[in-house]
Amino acid sequence: MNGFMTLLKRDLALAVREGGALGTALGFYLIVVALMPLGLGPDLNLLTRIAPGILWVALLLAALLSLPRIFEADHDDGSLDILALGGLPLELAAAAKSLAHWISTGIPLALMAPVLGILLNLEARAYPLVVATMLAGTPAISFLGSIGAALTLNAKRGGLLLALLVLPLYVPTLIFGISAISSAMLSPDGFAASFLILSAISLVSVALAPFAAAAALRAHMQ
Amino acid sequence: MAMSTDTRPDAPSAPVPAQTWTQRLANPTQFMKLSDWLLPILSVLAAAVIGYGTYLTFFVAPPDYQQGETVKIMFVHVPSAWLGMMGYGLIAVSSFGLLVFRHPLADVSAKAAAPIGAAFTLLALVTGSLWGKPMWGTYWVWDARLTSVLILFFLYLGLMALRSSIDDEAMAAKQTAVLGLVGVVILPIIKFSVDWWNTLHQPASVVKLDGPAIHSSILVPLLVNAIGFSLLFFALHMKGMRNEILRRRVKALRLAEVERASHGREAATAAG
């Protein structure tokens, strides 16, 4: 567990000190959300109705943009090979790096959503729902994304391919995130069912995705 | 299994340990031999059964009292959807076979199944869309069954795109296998989407514990077509696997030739 924490701290420190990476994701999130009213017209009622969906879809895209960072730099400079040779199982290393991605990108994106909600005239009682579903759903985004990031390490045109591989896997997260918000808006006790499934998706991803990501990483090293 | 080990001309005299049929098929040469006579039989059977199914569709099956003739879209739609899912199941089993047992034909099988499965999935989506227009009044609804089958189609595209974007074939095989296994979660989602959510798409009506909910005049042509389409799937899959094996052999021969040529040049320069 010691190695796990060390790797996690190292990745978090890198994410903070490298700079740029998080800012790019947040900036991308802002610009995508800001484009929507321009494309749809400034009808506030319409925007209020679709605001949670826009926030969620833009969050997926912004997270997608930052996924290659999980393994790319370590793959390029050879640290990944050192990690594979070290005492820490590659599965745990993949989990630590995915967790670092969630903390350094997933959480900031989720916390940024209410600010962007203002642009979309989000209803006041939807703010906590949006943040809660995003905090519960972003672990799935980081961990499932780590599979795609590991698979496309050696691929040509990896970025486009990553979107094609990972976005279908994100569909259940998106569906249950949105359905938790919309059912809670209809009745206060409608929230639990979808939210629990959303959390279950996240937990299953956290438990299983590192194995798939590690299998993909191992195949690169042979 | 037609071939026993002792009929081969190069069979060793010592008793060979008994092989399972998957082990025997693991030898590409054995597979080529088997498929050489199995493929024509499969193809003829597929053509005959699909021909009979088409006859049943147009001349025997009665029009539905509500849906009219459009119900006959079902005879293409349902088998295609089944085979689209079965194709992915086949890819998942092959991926497992590659990653766990290192079965040499597993990757060939997974590679050959992807375009065929994708084609059947697309066919199911298109025929479903054409059927939806007269029945539901729209070509597309964002219903759980339709959405999950669309995701299945995207997974097929992702598998093919991933494979084509990695140059090293052995690595591409493994990476694709990992993705193939991850994507298998879509199959239960598709199967149960009509039970878990209230959807426009009707729930399962053929494969049910208490027997099919379809009248036999419709059920029989449907099953005939399903058998015919499955035979077609397996014939195409076998042909695809044969092509892939031959392609790999040609590639190996070319590489060997290049190697020989470069050695020859080295020898010539050394002599001269």
Side-chain angles (χ1 to χ4, degrees), chain B residues 239-257:
Chain B
K239 186 70 188 162
M241 284 179 72
R242 286 176 64 86
N243 283 349
E244 177 63 17
I245 291 174
L246 291 175
R247 191 187 65 78
R248 289 184 183 186
R249 285 189 181 166
V250 168
K251 195 179 169 198
L253 287 177
R254 280 222 184 105
L255 282 177
E257 200 142 307

Side-chain angles (χ1 to χ4, degrees), chain B residues 111-262:
Chain B
K111 184 174 181 184
I116 307 171
F120 275 111
T121 308
L122 184 64
L123 196 59
L125 285 169
V126 170
T127 52
S129 171
L130 292 175
W131 195 8
K133 185 63 183 171
M135 289 306 107
W136 301 337
T138 171
Y139 285 113
W140 186 264
V141 285
W142 287 101
D143 136 312
R145 176 57 73 80
L146 278 73
T147 311
S148 51
V149 173
L150 186 65
I151 297 172
L152 174 68
F153 184 63
F154 289 150
L155 282 174
Y156 274 120
L157 294 187
L159 280 175
M160 291 189 278
L162 179 65
R163 185 183 290 278
S164 66
S165 71
I166 302 177
D167 287 328
D168 179 350
E169 281 192 22
M171 186 189 286
K174 278 187 197 140
Q175 305 288 14
T176 318
V178 171
L179 183 65
L181 279 182
V182 169
V184 82
V185 291
I186 190 67
L187 291 185
I189 295 181
I190 294 178
K191 175 77 186 80
F192 296 112
S193 57
V194 283
D195 304 327
W196 290 342
W197 290 282
N198 271 324
T199 60
L200 203 51
H201 195 286
Q202 63 166 328
S205 27
V206 176
V207 186
K208 280 170 60 168
L209 283 180
D210 47 352
I214 299 184
H215 191 260
S216 61
S217 63
I218 302 267
L219 184 63
V220 171
L222 176 62
L223 290 182
V224 169
N225 262 358
I227 294 170
F229 277 41
S230 307
L231 288 167
L232 176 67
F233 183 102
F234 286 118
L236 288 173
H237 185 238
M238 195 169 272
K239 186 70 188 162
M241 284 179 72
R242 286 176 64 86
N243 283 349
E244 177 63 17
I245 291 174
L246 291 175
R247 191 187 65 78
R248 289 184 183 186
R249 285 189 181 166
V250 168
K251 195 179 169 198
L253 287 177
R254 280 222 184 105
L255 282 177
E257 200 142 307
V258 168
E259 196 142 306
R260 209 171 320 128
S262 69

Side-chain angles (χ1 to χ4, degrees), chain B residues 14-29:
Chain B
V16 179
Q19 289 177 308
T20 63
W21 65 274
T22 47
Q23 281 171 341
R24 224 171 306 160
L25 273 184
N27 181 344
T29 313

Side-chain angles (χ1 to χ4, degrees), chain B residues 32-179:
Chain B
M32 292 302 268
K33 245 195 260 172
L34 174 72
S35 59
D36 199 34
W37 62 266
L38 199 55
L39 183 57
I41 300 176
L42 266 182
S43 313
V44 170
L45 269 179
V49 176
I50 291 178
Y52 180 56
T54 313
Y55 164 74
L56 286 180
T57 304
F58 284 107
F59 300 108
V60 176
D64 188 77
Y65 79 102
Q66 274 181 324
Q67 309 193 10
E69 298 287 347
T70 55
V71 72
K72 293 178 178 175
I73 296 176
M74 180 176 80
F75 301 141
V76 178
H77 174 72
V78 175
S80 305
W82 285 345
L83 287 170
M85 289 173 67
M86 194 206 69
Y88 201 91
L90 185 61
I91 291 179
V93 171
S94 305
S95 304
F96 189 77
L98 175 75
L99 290 177
V100 177
F101 302 113
R102 314 269 155 134
H103 194 287
L105 281 182
D107 178 51
V108 176
S109 159
K111 184 174 181 184
I116 307 171
F120 275 111
T121 308
L122 184 64
L123 196 59
L125 285 169
V126 170
T127 52
S129 171
L130 292 175
W131 195 8
K133 185 63 183 171
M135 289 306 107
W136 301 337
T138 171
Y139 285 113
W140 186 264
V141 285
W142 287 101
D143 136 312
R145 176 57 73 80
L146 278 73
T147 311
S148 51
V149 173
L150 186 65
I151 297 172
L152 174 68
F153 184 63
F154 289 150
L155 282 174
Y156 274 120
L157 294 187
L159 280 175
M160 291 189 278
L162 179 65
R163 185 183 290 278
S164 66
S165 71
I166 302 177
D167 287 328
D168 179 350
E169 281 192 22
M171 186 189 286
K174 278 187 197 140
Q175 305 288 14
T176 318
V178 171
L179 183 65

